[in-house]
């Protein structure tokens, strides 16, 4: 590095650059003006309550001046703090103006000292907290916790109203059921078949179909019609099966049946 | 506790503490060998383990051997504490409510009678459900062929529905007067169900 | 053991076993109320807990009070045996630990108050991170203009740092005696840069 030694300006440039970089790193390392102030205050190595705010203001302003000389962009809040500290410093150095209202310069300085002390206290508290025995690092929970099994129990509920409405529903359902034919006066074909089957075996002679109508079904016209129709249909069914013979002498004449032997 | 000297072996009580802590924190059961490997040199994991098992005997948790490994587990008689019952309330189904209503209004009533009134067969599940809820129970057998069982409502039923007696249940006419019946049934329906109730009462 | 009668309350020893079993089974701290809910009717979970805590004093695992809840945890002096159990966690940033400490010592605290103390705005990421860890949560809104939300620390926080009560925070008494936990308002807000910090809150 002999070249560097011989050429002073170059070396200075390097030194400046290094200094600038150091400052950049420093500024980046601070979390805002209060953090920077706290770091500067700590260099005074006194109880933060006895700190000299004027000294602190001077240090801070010097820092900002240096940063500006090195054309380091300082965030606005650093500059606002600088302006406020410059103002505070001047007020602290001058005798108090009796006309002025609001807090005195001393009170503002004391509050700044309080803020710094509080921030430092919180930093120490955070460190103390982190130094505690921590779960998963120093202290451990049950490695194999036994889970709680959930069982589901379903209970059913109904109100008296539900009950009454349900009953009303069942009792009135008939009244609203879909229309179906009333079967009181209907002699079904199944019934006719059941009646005809055992009788036809004995009918060895031609017998009028009307004779096979069930008892009580030959009076009322509707009933007789239903029974006649179903008995006739049943006779046709049995004729198809070869169980009986059917005959009708003339049109609209009586239909006669005879069992097949 | 002896933690100063490099070759100091922890005393028996300390070894017990160590086994206890390691066993507690482990996610899986540990064999004696694994425990031994976790303890400081010179410890006797097996001895500490058996002392620990004794110490826990009869407690809420026990040191249990699972295969060739050891673990801390809940005492079996307390396993019921590890259950959390989730109670879910559901509305009684329409079919069940209707069946219940018929039993309440017509008791004692046979299954065939319930089916006749509802017009559909009564599933076994519904009767079981209502009996499980302790809302209906078996009454006396009917003195008819086949001696069918009858159903009646229970004390629990009365409590649940706030009834002093099943006779307090309002009749159909009252239900209608209260606007609880939908639709407009034919006029003769007014009297019919009432007589049916009366008949049911006599049984 | 009395498990026959429906209304028999288990005796003291049995209640102790029950609390022991439930506490051992859970990895998370349980409040007295939660324990009580798991025990049969008539049990006194608080009394059983304090007897149990005494019983476990000095053992490899301890019954610890963590905030309003209780849990069984390994004794801190045995942490060297637990290397295998250590859960690797991401190291919290300085800003995050500071924010956490401020919430813990000043709770309930608003975001503006945290910013006042730290002198910088609190990034959203930090609050999210701390809430995700379940170390801080929202407290009640402050009864001041704008009704700002407040932050408080959680049961998980107490559990993680082994704090029986917020009073056990390290150095709390000294900080309070020094007046450093009081919300000392600035002498006058207009000219001070602190107002600028507070403005960052709005961004």
């Amino acid at each position: 590095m002999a070249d560097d030694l011989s050429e002073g300006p170059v070396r200075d440039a390097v030194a400046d650059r290094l200094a600038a970089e150091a400052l950049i790193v420093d500024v980046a390392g601070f979390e805002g003006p209060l953090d920077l102030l706290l770091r500067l205050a700590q260099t005074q190595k006194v109880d933060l309550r006895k700190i000299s705010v004027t000294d602190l203001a001077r240090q801070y302003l010097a820092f900002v001046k240096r940063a500006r000389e090195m054309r380091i962009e300082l965030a606005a809040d650093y500059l606002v703090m600088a302006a406020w500290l410059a103002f505070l410093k001047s007020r602290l150095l001058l005798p108090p103006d009796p006309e002025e209202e609001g807090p005195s310069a001393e009170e503002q300085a004391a509050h700044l000292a309080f803020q710094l002390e509080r921030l430092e206290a919180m930093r120490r508290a955070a460190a103390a907290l982190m130094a505690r025995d921590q779960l998963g690092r120093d202290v451990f929970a049950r490695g194999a916790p036994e889970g709680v099994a959930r069982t589901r129990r379903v209970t059913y509920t109904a109100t008296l109203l539900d009950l009454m409405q349900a009953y009303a529903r069942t009792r009135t359902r008939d009244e609203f059921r879909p229309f179906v034919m009333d079967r009181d006066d209907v002699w079904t074909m199944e019934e006719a078949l059941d009646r005809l089957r055992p009788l036809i075996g004995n009918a060895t002679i031609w017998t009028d179909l009307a004779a096979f109508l069930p008892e009580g079904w030959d009076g009322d016209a509707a009933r007789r019609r239903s029974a006649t129709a179903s008995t006739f249909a049943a006779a046709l069914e049995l004729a198809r099966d070869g169980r009986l013979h059917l005959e009708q002498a003339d049109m609209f004449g009586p239909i006669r049946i005879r069992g097949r032997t | 506790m002896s933690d100063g000297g490099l070759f100091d072996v922890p005393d028996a009580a300390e070894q017990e503490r160590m086994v206890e802590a390691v066993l507690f924190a482990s996610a899986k059961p540990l064999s004696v060998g694994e425990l031994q490997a976790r303890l400081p040199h010179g410890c006797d994991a097996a001895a500490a383990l058996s002392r620990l098992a004794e110490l826990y005997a009869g407690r809420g948790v026990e040191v249990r051997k699972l295969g060739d490994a050891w673990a801390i587990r809940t005492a079996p008689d307390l396993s019921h504490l590890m259950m959390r019952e989730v109670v879910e309330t559901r509305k009684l189904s329409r079919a069940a409510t209707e069946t219940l209503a018929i039993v309440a209004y017509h008791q004692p009533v046979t299954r065939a009678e319930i089916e006749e009134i509802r017009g559909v067969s009564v599933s076994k599940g519904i009767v079981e459900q209502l009996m499980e809820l302790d809302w209906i129970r078996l009454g006396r057998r009917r003195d008819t062929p086949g001696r069918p069982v009858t159903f009646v409502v229970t004390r629990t039923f009365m409590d649940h529905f706030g009834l002093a007696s099943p006779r307090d249940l309002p009749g159909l006419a009252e239900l209608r007067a209260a606007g609880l019946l939908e639709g407009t049934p034919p006029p003769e329906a007014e009297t019919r169900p009432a007589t049916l109730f009366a008949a049911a009462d006599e049984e």
Side-chain angles (χ1 to χ4, degrees), chain B residues 27-82:
Chain B
K28 60 181 188 61
L30 295 173
S31 69
V32 175
E34 286 168 323
L35 275 167
Q36 189 75 55
R38 300 273 290 270
L39 300 192
H41 195 72
C43 288
D44 183 348
L49 199 55
S50 71
R51 283 196 309 276
L52 201 65
E54 232 167 85
L55 186 73
Y56 273 97
R59 308 274 336 165
V61 290
E62 46 181 50
V63 176
R64 200 183 304 163
K65 193 164 194 266
L66 303 159
D68 61 350
W70 294 78
I72 297 178
R73 289 283 181 266
T74 307
D77 68 303
L78 296 179
S79 60
H80 62 278
L81 294 175
M82 301 299 130

Side-chain angles (χ1 to χ4, degrees), chain A residues 187-201 203 206-214 226-248 254-260:
Chain A
W187 184 251
T188 66
M189 194 176 113
E190 281 73 33
E191 288 168 312
L193 266 174
D194 287 346
R195 182 174 166 78
L196 208 53
R197 251 195 221 103
L199 295 177
I200 198 66
W206 291 104
T207 313
D208 194 331
L209 191 68
F212 292 90
L213 295 190
S226 169
T228 304
S230 57
T231 304
F232 175 60
L236 289 176
E237 186 80 14
L238 291 173
R240 193 192 61 194
D241 291 347
R243 300 275 308 275
L244 58 76
H245 291 292
L246 277 146
E247 67 157 38
Q248 187 177 28
I255 295 165
R256 298 192 299 168
I257 59 172
R258 176 170 67 86
R260 196 169 160 184

